Amino acid sequence: MKLKTIFDQFKHKSSFQEAVPIDSGHINSTYLVYTSDSSSPDYILQKINAAVFKNIPALIENKILVTTFLRLKAEEQESIIQLIPSISGKYYYVDSQNDYWNLMVFIPDSGVYLMAKSPKIAEEAGKLFGRFFYLLNDFDADKLSVTIPHFHNLNHRLSQFEDALTQANRERLVLAKDAIEFIITYKDEMLLLQELKSSGKLPLRATHNDTKLSNALFDTKGNGLSVIDLDTLMPGLVHYDFGDSVRTICSSAEEDEADLTQVSFLPENFKAFASGFLGASKSILNETEISHLVLGAKYMVFIMGLRFLTDYLNNDIYYKTNYADHNLVRTKNQFALLKNMKKHEAEMQEIIKDILD
Ligand code: GN1
Ligand code: MG
């Protein structure tokens, strides 16, 4: 089906001019739809990956619940994603190939960063994700459907990894040898977060679960505008959102940089990000949550490396890849970042303490 035809299945009053793919996501297919009338907005049209998201109506319902809630609480200058209903009245459209689409208003003069080039960008992203997290404090997380069960549960990801090990081909097993050993060495350290969760010491909250830098929208001056990509809204821990941001905002390279000498942890970005995030949200966090934020950062780098590695061993069935070893490159990159981050742990704790004092 043509993109124009799909676009016109939604209730907007605009005319389609052109659709340009946005390639940065690993899962869905996303297009920026330009409209021909200057008085009407442009849009984001997105095909949701049904292999990854098994219950897309529930995913859309999560987005509607949260955006409606946020719109009531947000201050005027805050931009909250706005979904457009389809002609059927539902907030998605199913095409003749059984693909699910949704449409959102594009926020004008906005863009994303793949890397935080300065602490200012890191701080702005921190404020944005921290505020988003804070505003959801009194949203009842039980209202959210679990669209990907055990998404950030390390026990689950480790068991998927173990399954992948048993059926991976020899060549990939050999190439991944060091990465496999890395998992074995560090998994117990990371599993502490799941133990705290299971023992009830960490509250389950409504979390975004994909707070990488490129899911923060900025204006042309580098000010934070809006949190985007609400696909993985689910009950979760603060550590998932804090950690996934640190993973991307405090790295000197993109997550698939193959030259590992380019990959290092940036403490000055951590300081800026943490001060933005905690400035907005510290009032709602308990002691145990706060004392494990650094573990949360390590955990998210670790689990992402583990998921890339598992997909590599499964011959790349989950993430979009651009070349044969792309997932292995991503894995090694994440583990290089984690190794470097571990050298800064004491400093990270100090930074958090200073922010909270
Ligand atoms: C995926 O599709 P995208 O880029 O928004 C993944 C996240 C990972 C991310 C790594 C549903 O997100 O968990 O953090 O890639 N989303 C899903 O960049 O698996
Ligand atoms: Mg996403």
Side-chain angles (χ1 to χ4, degrees):
M1 233 167 157
K2 281 193 177 154
L3 291 170
K4 177 186 182 317
T5 315
I6 292 160
F7 178 67
D8 286 337
Q9 301 306 313
F10 289 89
K11 282 190 199 164
H12 54 72
K13 295 191 181 73
S14 312
S15 37
F16 180 97
Q17 185 173 38
E18 170 188 24
V20 179
I22 299 181
D23 284 332
S24 65
H26 298 351
I27 307 283
N28 295 328
S29 305
T30 309
Y31 303 86
L32 172 52
V33 175
Y34 291 101
T35 57
S36 48
D37 178 357
S38 61
S39 67
S40 82
D42 297 322
Y43 294 87
I44 296 291
L45 180 64
Q46 192 165 51
K47 181 166 86 182
I48 302 173
N49 184 329
V52 168
F53 295 103
K54 311 284 184 209
N55 185 349
I56 296 172
L59 175 155
I60 302 285
E61 178 64 13
N62 283 351
K63 291 199 203 195
I64 296 291
L65 283 173
V66 165
T67 53
T68 308
F69 178 88
L70 288 176
R71 214 165 286 116
L72 288 173
K73 287 193 78 173
E75 283 164 15
E76 213 159 305
Q77 78 281 5
E78 287 172 318
S79 305
I80 310 294
I81 282 182
Q82 193 189 338
L83 282 104
I84 305 291
S86 70
I87 290 165
S88 75
K90 299 198 169 87
Y91 282 86
Y92 56 85
Y93 166 70
V94 189
D95 70 14
S96 51
Q97 277 146 23
N98 217 19
D99 283 327
Y100 283 70
W101 295 82
N102 71 160
L103 187 73
M104 289 152 283
V105 177
F106 176 71
I107 298 172
D109 302 319
S110 69
V112 298
Y113 294 97
L114 298 177
M115 266 166 44
K117 288 183 218 122
S118 66
K120 145 112 177 148
I121 298 294
E123 185 175 2
E124 283 294 311
K127 284 187 196 160
L128 211 54
F129 287 125
R131 171 100 179 136
F132 184 90
F133 173 78
Y134 170 79
L135 286 177
L136 287 178
N137 184 39
D138 50 1
F139 179 89
D140 179 4
D142 289 342
K143 285 196 184 140
L144 294 174
S145 298
V146 178
T147 49
I148 304 182
H150 315 298
F151 190 49
H152 291 318
N153 180 331
L154 185 55
N155 290 303
H156 171 69
R157 296 304 185 181
L158 284 167
S159 99
Q160 290 180 322
F161 165 69
E162 277 150 23
D163 289 348
L165 281 178
T166 63
Q167 55 75 46
N169 74 47
R170 238 200 105 59
E171 193 196 337
R172 287 198 170 202
L173 279 172
V174 170
L175 290 170
K177 185 171 167 287
D178 292 350
I180 293 167
E181 276 166 18
F182 189 91
I183 297 290
I184 295 161
T185 308
Y186 292 107
K187 71 177 174 24
D188 291 339
E189 177 181 341
M190 305 303 158
L191 277 167
L192 171 62
L193 195 71
Q194 287 302 311
E195 285 160 28
L196 290 166
K197 178 169 162 250
S198 307
S199 67
K201 295 199 176 102
L202 300 171
L204 272 186
R205 303 169 171 282
T207 45
H208 179 287
N209 294 306
D210 192 10
T211 49
K212 56 182 183 184
L213 177 62
S214 60
N215 281 335
L217 210 57
F218 288 84
D219 72 11
T220 50
K221 297 197 182 94
N223 299 309
L225 273 181
S226 180
V227 172
I228 58 171
D229 183 358
L230 307 182
D231 294 343
T232 49
L233 283 165
M234 280 182 271
L237 304 178
V238 62
H239 307 87
Y240 301 161
D241 283 3
F242 183 85
D244 200 44
S245 286
V246 173
R247 179 180 79 82
T248 46
I249 291 169
C250 310
S251 174
S252 59
E254 287 183 42
E255 71 183 10
D256 64 352
E257 170 61 61
D259 176 0
L260 299 183
T261 64
Q262 302 295 314
V263 181
S264 61
F265 177 74
L266 302 173
E268 57 287 8
N269 277 16
F270 180 76
K271 187 172 176 191
F273 166 76
S275 108
F277 189 97
L278 295 174
S281 67
K282 63 183 173 197
S283 62
I284 62 172
L285 297 173
N286 75 30
E287 292 276 320
T288 316
E289 287 178 299
I290 290 170
S291 58
H292 293 89
L293 287 171
V294 172
L295 173 60
K298 292 187 294 176
Y299 180 96
M300 289 307 287
V301 183
F302 184 79
I303 203 167
M304 227 45 86
L306 171 66
R307 289 174 58 201
F308 290 141
L309 176 59
T310 302
D311 198 37
Y312 178 73
L313 296 174
N314 285 335
N315 294 326
D316 314 316
I317 52 176
Y318 186 89
Y319 292 110
K320 290 183 188 167
T321 50
N322 299 334
Y323 53 90
D325 286 350
H326 203 165
N327 270 320
L328 185 60
V329 164
R330 289 170 175 148
T331 307
K332 291 184 177 170
N333 173 306
Q334 297 295 286
F335 293 166
L337 176 63
L338 181 51
K339 267 192 210 156
N340 192 243
M341 186 186 283
K342 283 173 74 60
K343 296 195 179 132
H344 292 272
E345 265 181 77
E347 189 182 351
M348 291 165 81
Q349 296 289 10
E350 234 2 81
I351 288 172
I352 289 179
K353 189 169 163 291
D354 285 351
I355 293 169
L356 297 175
D357 273 350

